[in-house]
Amino acid sequence: MIERMEGKVAFVTGGASGIGLATGLRLVHEGAVVVLADIAPERAEAAAEGSERLSAVKLDVTDEFAWEAAIDDVVRRYGKLDVLVNSAGIAPFTDIEACTTDEWRRTMTVNVDSVFFGCRNGVRAMKDRGGSIVNISSVSGLIGGPNSAAYNASKGAVRLLTKSVALHCARKRYGIRCNSVHPTFIETPMLENVLVGVRDRERTRAALVASVPLGRIGRAEEVAAMIAYLSSDESEFVTGAEFVIDGGMTAS
Ligand SMILES: NC(=O)c1ccc[n+]([C@@H]2O[C@H](COP(=O)([O-])OP(=O)(O)OC[C@H]3O[C@@H](n4cnc5c(N)ncnc54)[C@H](O)[C@@H]3O)[C@@H](O)[C@H]2O)c1
């Protein structure tokens, strides 16, 4: 077992599913103490059962005050916070004509306000000892798609918020790094939900696969491995950077 996360304390949002859950499990495997936070924490609670280093809490990432309380609680319980992974998100797929104002606002709140609250609280908790913040954006934060007006805007915002946080922390010499991760299609409940909504599921899935040069959908564990590197001291000289994990999709 690699133990590069030994002694570190991590807080992972969206921790009950997909990339967040896979990341929590990977960080625990590498030696960290991990708190999985989610608005629907049942699956995180089940994963944490019987583990001394994994626990689950309920957190609505759109709730500014709940964020403060959750991070304070981690520091109270474990004495510090070393790693924050902002993975909670939603992915509505509508074009600019179909996207309602409610959907736009909900997407920006869940995908962007959450990362803002997370980074603000993460910096507050980490600034005396340093740490690593990893924000999960998407290839949709790098390239546009006709059916993802709100999602594109939200993930683009996460990309640049990440750079601003990174540069602020560097200037202040806080020892806090902040990076964004940009996956393409990854096999998680989020992707399933997108496919449930389409008319010809198998055809759409085949089209998604065909758009990836490596010819397959990615796995949450593969994204978790990248996040684990960014969370660890091995990436000490890396900040404000975009980590693309997309089977070559954005290479052309
Ligand atoms: N799966 C993909 O294809 C893919 C691709 C690129 C980027 N991403 C991004 O990766 C991140 C994780 O996605 P995933 O595929 O693991 O999705 P997922 O649906 O499997 O997990 C998302 C988790 O976020 C939680 N969540 C949603 N709203 C919340 C809220 N208000 N407060 C707290 N928790 C909330 C959900 O309960 C869920 O457990 C997202 O930010 C997503 O945009 C996913």
Side-chain angles (χ1 to χ4, degrees):
M1 177 165 83
I2 318 165
E3 299 219 327
R4 61 184 171 175
M5 295 301 293
E6 190 82 56
K8 293 203 186 287
V9 177
F11 188 84
V12 181
T13 74
S17 180
I19 294 169
L21 180 57
T23 298
L25 296 174
R26 172 76 190 230
L27 295 180
V28 164
H29 180 68
E30 295 201 21
V33 166
V34 177
V35 179
L36 301 172
D38 205 288
I39 197 168
E42 296 75 19
R43 282 186 59 205
E45 285 162 359
E49 207 168 287
S51 168
E52 280 176 12
R53 286 191 281 114
L54 191 61
S55 61
V57 294
K58 185 173 173 121
L59 171 68
D60 179 347
V61 290
T62 68
D63 183 338
E64 172 173 11
F65 302 106
W67 256 113
E68 270 181 46
I71 295 298
D72 286 350
D73 190 50
V74 172
V75 174
R76 208 171 15 250
R77 276 162 70 192
Y78 302 110
K80 60 173 182 163
L81 176 69
D82 299 300
V83 173
L84 167 65
V85 179
N86 285 305
S87 186
I90 53 172
F93 276 90
T94 44
D95 61 46
I96 186 61
E97 294 187 87
C99 184
T100 64
T101 306
D102 278 353
E103 187 170 85
W104 170 268
R105 291 197 174 132
R106 180 79 193 140
T107 308
M108 297 308 270
T109 305
V110 177
N111 290 1
V112 186
D113 292 4
S114 64
V115 179
F116 163 62
F117 296 145
C119 289
R120 200 172 60 185
N121 281 286
V123 170
R124 178 174 64 86
M126 292 176 185
K127 67 190 206 184
D128 293 333
R129 325 172 34 109
S132 173
I133 300 175
V134 184
N135 296 327
I136 313 308
S137 175
S138 168
V139 288
S140 299
L142 302 171
I143 54 171
N147 288 325
S148 43
Y151 192 67
N152 271 151
S154 72
K155 292 301 184 180
V158 168
R159 170 177 170 265
L160 274 176
L161 172 59
T162 299
K163 294 184 193 300
S164 178
V165 172
L167 292 174
H168 170 73
C169 292
R171 189 172 60 183
K172 292 279 188 176
R173 298 285 187 265
Y174 285 157
I176 302 172
R177 300 174 297 101
C178 186
N179 294 287
S180 57
V181 168
H182 300 261
T184 187
F185 316 115
I186 305 295
E187 202 75 73
T188 71
M190 177 179 280
L191 184 66
E192 261 316 297
N193 288 341
V194 172
L195 289 172
V196 160
V198 302
R199 223 174 312 136
D200 188 340
R201 189 180 184 287
E202 286 318 310
R203 227 173 109 196
T204 305
R205 197 185 158 85
L208 298 186
V209 169
S211 70
V212 180
L214 286 182
R216 66 172 173 87
I217 304 284
R219 292 187 294 274
E221 292 72 20
E222 293 173 308
V223 185
M226 178 177 271
I227 297 169
Y229 162 71
L230 291 170
S231 302
S232 78
D233 294 341
E234 287 183 10
S235 56
E236 237 167 19
F237 197 50
V238 179
T239 197
E242 298 158 14
F243 279 72
V244 177
I245 175 160
D246 70 348
M249 191 183 201
T250 56
S252 63

